[in-house]
Amino acid sequence: LAMALRYFDGSYREGGQFLETLSANLAPNFAEASSTKLMDLITNPKIFILVSMLSTAYMAHYNASKFYWELQNNTLKRYQTVVGTSFGISLLLFVAVAFFGFATFGTNCAGLV
């Protein structure tokens, strides 16, 4: 919510209330974004941070059977609906945070927004 608010109110754009308070290495930068190649992103050592963050999504798999048995009216179809909905909501939140983080700060966006 805060990231979207800062994006829409323009706090970090030219003339924004917070732009002048940032050091040059933290100020929004979009010049490098268009020239970044996919291979540069994939071969960057920081990709391991992303992989470790994504792998935490699978840390609950050992509790899956427990979640199934604790679900009211536990049928496989109902369980699939609950799991699919949960993953969908999580995905939307992650994508929204990543989008607004990059849209606000460009390539100077921290990896752990």
Side-chain angles (χ1 to χ4, degrees):
L1 181 62
M3 192 69 67
L5 174 70
R6 293 299 177 216
Y7 171 74
F8 287 117
D9 74 4
S11 297
Y12 293 102
R13 291 187 198 135
E14 290 293 326
Q17 65 181 3
F18 297 127
L19 183 63
E20 299 299 321
T21 63
L22 296 174
S23 62
N25 65 326
L26 297 177
N29 179 9
F30 294 98
E32 296 175 19
S34 61
S35 66
T36 303
K37 294 184 176 68
L38 180 61
M39 282 308 293
D40 293 339
L41 294 173
I42 294 171
T43 58
N44 188 328
K46 292 182 180 179
I47 194 77
F48 293 112
I49 296 172
L50 174 65
V51 170
S52 68
M53 289 174 61
L54 294 176
S55 68
T56 59
Y58 296 101
M59 291 179 67
H61 77 278
Y62 62 89
N63 282 324
S65 60
K66 180 180 176 184
F67 296 152
Y68 174 77
W69 291 114
E70 291 181 359
L71 184 65
Q72 284 183 334
N73 305 324
N74 57 352
T75 63
L76 190 55
K77 182 166 177 52
R78 183 165 155 72
Y79 179 72
Q80 289 172 341
T81 302
V82 169
V83 170
T85 302
S86 301
F87 271 100
I89 291 169
S90 297
L91 177 67
L92 287 175
L93 288 173
F94 276 106
V95 168
V97 169
F99 170 79
F100 285 116
F102 184 79
T104 302
F105 294 105
T107 57
N108 280 343
C109 180
L112 300 172
V113 175

